[in-house]
Short mmCIF file of all heavy atoms in Angstrom, two decimals:
data_model
loop_
_atom_site.label_atom_id
_atom_site.label_comp_id
_atom_site.label_asym_id
_atom_site.label_seq_id
_atom_site.Cartn_x
_atom_site.Cartn_y
_atom_site.Cartn_z
N TYR B 62 -13.02 12.50 -5.63
CA TYR B 62 -12.42 12.56 -4.31
C TYR B 62 -13.34 13.35 -3.38
O TYR B 62 -14.09 14.21 -3.81
CB TYR B 62 -11.08 13.30 -4.33
CG TYR B 62 -9.99 12.65 -5.13
CD1 TYR B 62 -9.80 12.95 -6.48
CD2 TYR B 62 -9.09 11.77 -4.53
CE1 TYR B 62 -8.77 12.37 -7.21
CE2 TYR B 62 -8.06 11.20 -5.25
CZ TYR B 62 -7.91 11.51 -6.59
OH TYR B 62 -6.89 10.94 -7.30
N ARG B 63 -13.20 13.08 -2.09
CA ARG B 63 -13.79 13.96 -1.10
C ARG B 63 -12.68 14.53 -0.23
O ARG B 63 -11.67 13.86 0.05
CB ARG B 63 -14.84 13.24 -0.25
CG ARG B 63 -14.39 12.06 0.52
CD ARG B 63 -15.53 11.49 1.38
NE ARG B 63 -15.87 12.36 2.50
CZ ARG B 63 -16.91 12.15 3.30
NH1 ARG B 63 -17.73 11.12 3.11
NH2 ARG B 63 -17.16 12.99 4.31
N GLN B 64 -12.87 15.78 0.15
CA GLN B 64 -11.86 16.48 0.96
C GLN B 64 -12.47 16.85 2.28
O GLN B 64 -13.44 17.60 2.34
CB GLN B 64 -11.36 17.73 0.24
CG GLN B 64 -10.26 18.45 1.00
CD GLN B 64 -9.78 19.69 0.29
OE1 GLN B 64 -10.51 20.32 -0.46
NE2 GLN B 64 -8.53 20.05 0.52
N ASP B 65 -11.90 16.33 3.34
CA ASP B 65 -12.35 16.61 4.69
C ASP B 65 -11.16 17.09 5.52
O ASP B 65 -10.04 16.62 5.34
CB ASP B 65 -12.94 15.35 5.34
CG ASP B 65 -14.08 14.78 4.53
OD1 ASP B 65 -15.13 15.42 4.48
OD2 ASP B 65 -13.90 13.69 3.93
N LEU B 66 -11.44 17.98 6.44
CA LEU B 66 -10.39 18.51 7.29
C LEU B 66 -9.68 17.37 8.00
O LEU B 66 -10.32 16.52 8.61
CB LEU B 66 -11.00 19.49 8.30
CG LEU B 66 -10.04 20.44 8.98
CD1 LEU B 66 -9.38 21.35 7.96
CD2 LEU B 66 -10.76 21.26 10.04
N GLY B 67 -8.36 17.38 7.90
CA GLY B 67 -7.58 16.35 8.58
C GLY B 67 -7.44 15.05 7.82
O GLY B 67 -6.75 14.14 8.27
N HIS B 68 -8.09 14.95 6.66
CA HIS B 68 -8.01 13.72 5.87
C HIS B 68 -7.48 13.94 4.47
O HIS B 68 -7.37 13.00 3.70
CB HIS B 68 -9.38 13.05 5.78
CG HIS B 68 -9.85 12.46 7.07
ND1 HIS B 68 -9.39 11.25 7.56
CD2 HIS B 68 -10.74 12.91 7.99
CE1 HIS B 68 -9.98 11.00 8.70
NE2 HIS B 68 -10.80 11.98 8.99
N GLY B 69 -7.17 15.13 4.13
CA GLY B 69 -6.70 15.36 2.77
C GLY B 69 -7.77 14.97 1.76
O GLY B 69 -8.96 15.16 1.98
N LEU B 70 -7.33 14.40 0.65
CA LEU B 70 -8.26 13.93 -0.38
C LEU B 70 -8.31 12.40 -0.33
O LEU B 70 -7.28 11.74 -0.29
CB LEU B 70 -7.78 14.36 -1.77
CG LEU B 70 -8.27 15.71 -2.26
CD1 LEU B 70 -7.54 16.82 -1.54
CD2 LEU B 70 -8.06 15.83 -3.76
N ARG B 71 -9.51 11.87 -0.35
CA ARG B 71 -9.69 10.43 -0.36
C ARG B 71 -10.47 10.03 -1.60
O ARG B 71 -11.48 10.64 -1.94
CB ARG B 71 -10.40 9.96 0.91
CG ARG B 71 -9.57 10.14 2.17
CD ARG B 71 -10.28 9.61 3.39
NE ARG B 71 -11.40 10.48 3.77
CZ ARG B 71 -12.24 10.21 4.76
NH1 ARG B 71 -12.10 9.10 5.46
NH2 ARG B 71 -13.21 11.05 5.04
N LEU B 72 -10.00 8.98 -2.25
CA LEU B 72 -10.60 8.54 -3.51
C LEU B 72 -11.90 7.80 -3.25
O LEU B 72 -11.94 6.84 -2.47
CB LEU B 72 -9.61 7.64 -4.25
CG LEU B 72 -10.04 7.13 -5.62
CD1 LEU B 72 -10.18 8.30 -6.61
CD2 LEU B 72 -9.04 6.11 -6.15
N ILE B 73 -12.96 8.21 -3.95
CA ILE B 73 -14.26 7.57 -3.80
C ILE B 73 -14.45 6.53 -4.91
O ILE B 73 -14.73 5.36 -4.64
CB ILE B 73 -15.39 8.60 -3.88
CG1 ILE B 73 -15.20 9.71 -2.83
CG2 ILE B 73 -16.76 7.93 -3.68
CD1 ILE B 73 -16.16 10.88 -2.99
N TYR B 74 -14.33 6.96 -6.14
CA TYR B 74 -14.45 6.10 -7.31
C TYR B 74 -13.53 6.62 -8.41
O TYR B 74 -13.20 7.80 -8.43
CB TYR B 74 -15.88 6.10 -7.86
CG TYR B 74 -16.78 5.01 -7.35
CD1 TYR B 74 -17.64 5.26 -6.28
CD2 TYR B 74 -16.78 3.75 -7.93
CE1 TYR B 74 -18.49 4.26 -5.80
CE2 TYR B 74 -17.62 2.75 -7.46
CZ TYR B 74 -18.47 3.01 -6.39
OH TYR B 74 -19.29 2.02 -5.92
N TYR B 75 -13.18 5.73 -9.32
CA TYR B 75 -12.48 6.16 -10.51
C TYR B 75 -12.99 5.39 -11.71
O TYR B 75 -13.67 4.36 -11.56
CB TYR B 75 -10.97 6.01 -10.35
CG TYR B 75 -10.47 4.59 -10.26
CD1 TYR B 75 -9.97 3.93 -11.38
CD2 TYR B 75 -10.47 3.92 -9.04
CE1 TYR B 75 -9.50 2.64 -11.29
CE2 TYR B 75 -10.01 2.62 -8.95
CZ TYR B 75 -9.51 1.99 -10.06
OH TYR B 75 -9.06 0.70 -9.99
N SER B 76 -12.66 5.91 -12.87
CA SER B 76 -13.12 5.30 -14.11
C SER B 76 -11.99 5.34 -15.12
O SER B 76 -11.39 6.39 -15.34
CB SER B 76 -14.33 6.05 -14.64
OG SER B 76 -14.64 5.63 -15.95
N ALA B 77 -11.73 4.21 -15.75
CA ALA B 77 -10.65 4.13 -16.74
C ALA B 77 -11.14 4.48 -18.14
O ALA B 77 -10.33 4.78 -19.02
CB ALA B 77 -10.05 2.72 -16.74
N ALA B 78 -12.43 4.42 -18.36
CA ALA B 78 -13.02 4.70 -19.68
C ALA B 78 -14.53 4.64 -19.51
O ALA B 78 -15.04 4.27 -18.45
CB ALA B 78 -12.54 3.69 -20.71
N ALA B 79 -15.24 4.98 -20.57
CA ALA B 79 -16.70 4.87 -20.52
C ALA B 79 -17.10 3.44 -20.17
O ALA B 79 -16.51 2.48 -20.67
CB ALA B 79 -17.29 5.28 -21.86
N ASP B 80 -18.05 3.32 -19.26
CA ASP B 80 -18.60 2.05 -18.81
C ASP B 80 -17.63 1.19 -18.00
O ASP B 80 -17.92 0.02 -17.74
CB ASP B 80 -19.12 1.23 -20.00
CG ASP B 80 -20.27 1.91 -20.72
OD1 ASP B 80 -21.10 2.52 -20.02
OD2 ASP B 80 -20.31 1.87 -21.95
N ILE B 81 -16.51 1.79 -17.58
CA ILE B 81 -15.56 1.06 -16.72
C ILE B 81 -15.33 1.89 -15.47
O ILE B 81 -14.76 2.98 -15.54
CB ILE B 81 -14.22 0.81 -17.43
CG1 ILE B 81 -14.42 -0.01 -18.69
CG2 ILE B 81 -13.24 0.12 -16.47
CD1 ILE B 81 -13.16 -0.20 -19.51
N THR B 82 -15.80 1.39 -14.33
CA THR B 82 -15.61 2.11 -13.07
C THR B 82 -15.14 1.15 -11.99
O THR B 82 -15.35 -0.07 -12.10
CB THR B 82 -16.92 2.78 -12.61
OG1 THR B 82 -17.91 1.77 -12.36
CG2 THR B 82 -17.46 3.75 -13.65
N ASP B 83 -14.55 1.71 -10.96
CA ASP B 83 -14.07 0.87 -9.86
C ASP B 83 -14.04 1.69 -8.58
O ASP B 83 -13.93 2.92 -8.61
CB ASP B 83 -12.69 0.30 -10.16
CG ASP B 83 -12.44 -1.02 -9.44
OD1 ASP B 83 -13.26 -1.37 -8.55
OD2 ASP B 83 -11.45 -1.69 -9.74
N LYS B 84 -14.11 0.97 -7.46
CA LYS B 84 -14.20 1.62 -6.16
C LYS B 84 -12.84 2.13 -5.70
O LYS B 84 -11.81 1.53 -5.95
CB LYS B 84 -14.75 0.64 -5.13
CG LYS B 84 -16.17 0.21 -5.39
CD LYS B 84 -16.64 -0.78 -4.33
CE LYS B 84 -18.09 -1.18 -4.58
NZ LYS B 84 -18.56 -2.15 -3.55
N GLY B 85 -12.90 3.23 -4.95
CA GLY B 85 -11.74 3.73 -4.25
C GLY B 85 -11.80 3.32 -2.80
O GLY B 85 -12.47 2.35 -2.43
N GLU B 86 -11.17 4.09 -1.93
CA GLU B 86 -11.06 3.71 -0.52
C GLU B 86 -12.28 4.05 0.31
O GLU B 86 -12.48 3.48 1.39
CB GLU B 86 -9.82 4.36 0.09
CG GLU B 86 -9.82 5.87 0.05
CD GLU B 86 -8.57 6.47 0.67
OE1 GLU B 86 -8.26 6.15 1.83
OE2 GLU B 86 -7.91 7.28 -0.03
N VAL B 87 -13.16 4.96 -0.17
CA VAL B 87 -14.33 5.37 0.63
C VAL B 87 -15.58 5.36 -0.23
O VAL B 87 -16.30 6.35 -0.33
CB VAL B 87 -14.10 6.75 1.28
CG1 VAL B 87 -13.07 6.67 2.37
CG2 VAL B 87 -13.72 7.81 0.25
N SER B 88 -15.90 4.25 -0.85
CA SER B 88 -16.98 4.18 -1.84
C SER B 88 -18.36 3.88 -1.24
O SER B 88 -19.38 4.05 -1.93
CB SER B 88 -16.65 3.13 -2.89
OG SER B 88 -16.50 1.86 -2.27
N ASP B 89 -18.44 3.45 0.00
CA ASP B 89 -19.73 3.08 0.58
C ASP B 89 -20.69 4.27 0.58
O ASP B 89 -20.37 5.35 1.03
CB ASP B 89 -19.56 2.58 2.02
CG ASP B 89 -18.94 1.20 2.07
OD1 ASP B 89 -18.86 0.55 1.01
OD2 ASP B 89 -18.52 0.78 3.16
N GLY B 90 -21.91 4.03 0.07
CA GLY B 90 -22.92 5.08 0.04
C GLY B 90 -22.92 5.91 -1.23
O GLY B 90 -23.74 6.81 -1.39
N TYR B 91 -21.99 5.61 -2.13
CA TYR B 91 -21.87 6.35 -3.39
C TYR B 91 -22.03 5.42 -4.58
O TYR B 91 -21.68 4.24 -4.52
CB TYR B 91 -20.49 7.02 -3.50
CG TYR B 91 -20.16 7.97 -2.40
CD1 TYR B 91 -19.43 7.55 -1.29
CD2 TYR B 91 -20.54 9.31 -2.46
CE1 TYR B 91 -19.10 8.43 -0.27
CE2 TYR B 91 -20.21 10.20 -1.46
CZ TYR B 91 -19.49 9.75 -0.36
OH TYR B 91 -19.16 10.63 0.64
N VAL B 92 -22.54 5.98 -5.67
CA VAL B 92 -22.68 5.25 -6.92
C VAL B 92 -22.21 6.17 -8.04
O VAL B 92 -22.44 7.38 -8.00
CB VAL B 92 -24.15 4.84 -7.17
CG1 VAL B 92 -24.29 4.20 -8.54
CG2 VAL B 92 -24.64 3.89 -6.09
N VAL B 93 -21.55 5.59 -9.04
CA VAL B 93 -21.13 6.38 -10.20
C VAL B 93 -21.58 5.68 -11.47
O VAL B 93 -21.92 4.50 -11.47
CB VAL B 93 -19.59 6.57 -10.25
CG1 VAL B 93 -19.11 7.44 -9.10
CG2 VAL B 93 -18.88 5.23 -10.28
N SER B 94 -21.55 6.44 -12.53
CA SER B 94 -21.79 5.89 -13.86
C SER B 94 -20.93 6.66 -14.84
O SER B 94 -20.50 7.78 -14.56
CB SER B 94 -23.27 6.02 -14.24
OG SER B 94 -23.65 7.39 -14.30
N ARG B 95 -20.69 6.06 -15.99
CA ARG B 95 -19.93 6.76 -17.02
C ARG B 95 -20.36 6.25 -18.40
O ARG B 95 -19.66 5.47 -19.03
CB ARG B 95 -18.43 6.59 -16.83
CG ARG B 95 -17.65 7.60 -17.67
CD ARG B 95 -16.28 7.82 -17.14
NE ARG B 95 -15.53 8.72 -18.01
CZ ARG B 95 -14.24 8.57 -18.27
NH1 ARG B 95 -13.56 7.57 -17.72
NH2 ARG B 95 -13.63 9.42 -19.05
N SER B 96 -21.50 6.74 -18.82
CA SER B 96 -22.02 6.33 -20.12
C SER B 96 -21.32 7.07 -21.26
O SER B 96 -21.25 6.56 -22.39
CB SER B 96 -23.52 6.57 -20.17
OG SER B 96 -23.81 7.93 -19.92
N LYS B 97 -20.80 8.25 -20.98
CA LYS B 97 -20.05 9.02 -21.96
C LYS B 97 -18.69 9.38 -21.39
O LYS B 97 -18.56 9.63 -20.19
CB LYS B 97 -20.80 10.31 -22.34
CG LYS B 97 -22.11 10.09 -23.07
CD LYS B 97 -22.71 11.44 -23.46
CE LYS B 97 -24.00 11.24 -24.24
NZ LYS B 97 -24.60 12.55 -24.65
#
Side-chain angles (χ1 to χ4, degrees):
Chain B
Y62 296 90
R63 59 177 289 173
Q64 183 180 27
D65 303 291
L66 198 62
H68 290 282
L70 271 74
R71 292 182 289 176
L72 183 65
I73 304 171
Y74 266 97
Y75 67 97
S76 169
D80 297 322
I81 300 175
T82 63
D83 207 349
K84 295 179 179 180
E86 61 180 305
V87 290
S88 60
D89 287 348
Y91 301 95
V92 174
V93 293
S94 63
R95 194 158 177 218
S96 57
K97 294 183 178 181

